[in-house]
Amino acid sequence: MPDPERLRAAALAVRDTYDQVNDQRLGRRWDLTDYTLGFVGDVGDLAKLVMAHEGHRTDVAADREALAHELSDCMFSLLVIAEATGIDLEARFPSDMATLAARIRTQRTTTEPVSSGATSGEPPPATPSPTDHGLPDPRITPGTAG
């Protein structure tokens, strides 16, 4: 695994270069919202490549170089966003992964086997996504449809 401090330093050096370019071109630097929206775009690009890699899209070429590039773009954004918000990912990530692993182990031992639904005519329950931590979605205001 690469040295997290080297990754962080490389990302911040690129951010500083972007700051200079954006100062000249836009008259301002990107803020946290700009970097977050850039991250969302990069995740979308990554999703398209993963879908192509899995054979679910044929309009996009799925090669390892393109996947690696988008993963690096996403890592860049995450590191810059963490820096801007004062979050130490190197310190936080291991404890969050331990919490997630414990939650998954609990689900595995307490969840009844999923039936196919063939006998009841009902579809099987949805499989939780890897990011479904059992917490309410902060983007949805209580009392509104999301």
Side-chain angles (χ1 to χ4, degrees):
M1 183 68 173
D3 174 26
E5 187 52 38
R6 266 188 57 219
L7 295 175
R8 181 181 163 279
L12 297 181
V14 170
R15 180 210 54 199
D16 291 345
T17 302
Y18 269 129
D19 282 349
Q20 293 170 3
V21 169
N22 288 332
D23 278 342
Q24 290 175 338
R25 288 186 180 168
L26 305 174
R28 70 174 187 87
R29 296 175 177 197
W30 274 23
D31 60 15
L32 183 58
T33 298
D34 294 316
Y35 279 108
T36 302
L37 291 173
F39 175 58
V40 169
D42 291 336
V43 169
D45 293 340
L46 177 62
K48 292 174 191 173
L49 291 170
V50 168
M51 291 170 66
H53 178 78
E54 294 288 311
H56 301 294
R57 284 187 76 139
T58 57
D59 61 325
V60 178
D63 61 81
R64 288 181 54 84
E65 180 60 32
L67 282 166
H69 175 86
E70 288 306 327
L71 285 167
S72 292
D73 282 353
C74 290
M75 177 77 79
F76 163 76
S77 294
L78 287 172
L79 292 168
V80 169
I81 291 167
E83 179 74 16
T85 56
I87 294 172
D88 182 348
L89 287 177
E90 185 180 5
R92 182 66 190 246
F93 190 79
S95 65
D96 284 346
M97 292 302 98
T99 300
L100 183 57
R103 186 173 293 130
I104 293 167
R105 282 191 298 275
T106 300
Q107 289 175 354
R108 185 178 63 201
T109 59
T110 61
T111 303
E112 294 180 29
V114 176
S115 71
S116 68
T119 58
S120 68
E122 297 178 20
T127 304
S129 76
T131 58
D132 180 8
H133 302 177
L135 302 172
D137 187 334
R139 300 168 296 178
I140 300 174
T141 305
T144 63

